Amino acid sequence: MANGRNKLRRGDAGRDAGGFVALPWTVLDSPAYSGLSHPAKALLLEFARQFVRDNNGRLLCSMTYLGPRGWKSNDVITRAARELVAAGFVHQTAQGHRPSKASWYAVTWRALDRHPGYDVGTMESFQRGAYRLWVAAQRPTEIAPPTPPPGAEKNASLTPSPGVERASRAPSPGAVEGGFGTFSTPGDGDHLEKPSTAQRSGDVQEVEGVQERWANIEQDDDAASSRRETAPRPTRPRRRPKGSGLDDAQRVPQPPDPTAQLELLLPERVG
């Protein structure tokens, strides 16, 4: 016996020296652990690594602590922590706040250590082994089918009432007998080549109206032309030619002046 006790005190020579994580097999073998995501499983090991003796309730998952250990995203840490809380593996004991207060957590496979810094009601709300209760509540075989409220069983059938079954989509006789004029029944495949009688009459009336308007326009044009032809044209005044007036062909010959002829003859007689 003494040799056996001394052997236990010396430790296990088959493993590396130093502390180790005491993680029960019931946690790792639970269906709740199998349903965790990989970031949540990794964060659970970080919580287990922090526990030393009496600090269960002051475990951290802040970026300040996990960043040097290889965690890169604060959002991944937040989602993993929420997943562990929902699965019952950890319990939040204190809510963090800015600028420097981090949230505290406790693992549920160990008892919660007392501390005055917990939020109000933490000791009462902590439940050891909550992950086992979560698994029992999530098993499909143990989930009871929903119970319908009183009076719902009478309306469980989806069969419509007799009045709905007898409802017909056919229009009333008055709608069928209503007259909408003469309908043309075209032959198969030539409905685009045979317009209805109403359409043809409308087209003829439209063509006749256009022809009548054109005839009126032509009559107006003929009357205007006749008025222009019968109207007297204004006479334009003739322009007088520049210079002396009339040319040589238009000049009228004048009789010779006798006085001028005497003046030409008198000097000759004197000399």
Side-chain angles (χ1 to χ4, degrees):
M1 295 295 294
N3 293 333
R5 288 195 298 270
N6 293 336
K7 184 177 180 179
L8 292 174
R9 289 176 182 176
R10 288 194 300 268
D12 187 1
R15 67 174 181 84
D16 293 341
F20 57 92
V21 174
L23 193 60
W25 289 357
T26 56
V27 175
L28 300 178
D29 297 339
S30 64
Y33 181 83
S34 300
L36 293 176
S37 62
H38 294 296
K41 291 179 180 179
L43 185 60
L44 186 62
L45 292 178
E46 297 290 349
F47 281 128
R49 167 63 184 86
Q50 297 178 52
F51 175 75
V52 287
R53 178 175 296 178
D54 56 355
N55 66 339
N56 190 28
R58 290 174 289 156
L59 309 180
L60 303 175
C61 67
S62 61
M63 192 64 186
T64 303
Y65 173 76
L66 296 177
R69 297 181 62 83
W71 293 78
K72 304 298 184 182
S73 175
N74 192 30
D75 293 338
V76 174
I77 297 173
T78 301
R79 290 195 298 268
R82 292 176 180 174
E83 187 177 354
L84 292 176
V85 172
F89 288 105
V90 297
H91 183 83
Q92 186 174 352
T93 59
Q95 177 64 46
H97 56 79
R98 296 181 181 275
S100 59
K101 172 64 177 177
S103 298
W104 288 355
Y105 296 89
V107 295
T108 58
W109 63 82
R110 293 193 60 90
L112 178 62
D113 297 322
R114 295 184 176 274
H115 192 276
Y118 296 158
D119 292 342
V120 178
T122 299
M123 298 298 298
E124 292 78 10
S125 61
F126 178 82
Q127 190 172 9
R128 185 173 178 180
Y131 62 93
R132 291 194 296 265
L133 301 177
W134 182 88
V135 172
Q138 298 297 320
R139 288 177 182 174
T141 56
E142 297 182 4
I143 298 177
T147 304
E153 296 180 356
K154 298 180 181 180
N155 301 327
S157 177
L158 298 178
T159 304
S161 61
V164 177
E165 289 181 351
R166 291 195 299 267
S168 176
R169 293 187 177 182
S172 62
V176 175
E177 294 176 358
F180 297 96
T182 304
F183 293 93
S184 62
T185 304
D188 298 335
D190 58 354
H191 61 280
L192 297 179
E193 300 175 359
K194 294 183 178 181
S196 62
T197 305
Q199 183 177 359
R200 289 199 300 269
S201 61
D203 295 341
V204 170
Q205 293 177 0
E206 184 178 357
V207 171
E208 292 178 352
V210 173
Q211 293 177 353
E212 183 177 357
R213 288 195 296 271
W214 275 110
N216 295 333
I217 292 173
E218 292 178 354
Q219 293 178 1
D220 296 340
D221 293 341
D222 295 340
S225 300
S226 61
R227 285 195 300 269
R228 286 195 299 270
E229 292 176 357
T230 56
R233 296 183 179 179
T235 57
R236 299 174 61 182
R238 298 181 63 180
R239 299 177 60 184
R240 298 181 61 184
K242 297 181 180 180
S244 59
L246 301 178
D247 53 5
D248 297 337
Q250 294 178 351
R251 291 177 180 176
V252 179
Q254 298 292 335
D257 190 359
T259 305
Q261 293 179 358
L262 292 176
E263 291 179 354
L264 294 175
L265 295 173
L266 289 176
E268 294 179 357
R269 292 179 180 180
V270 174

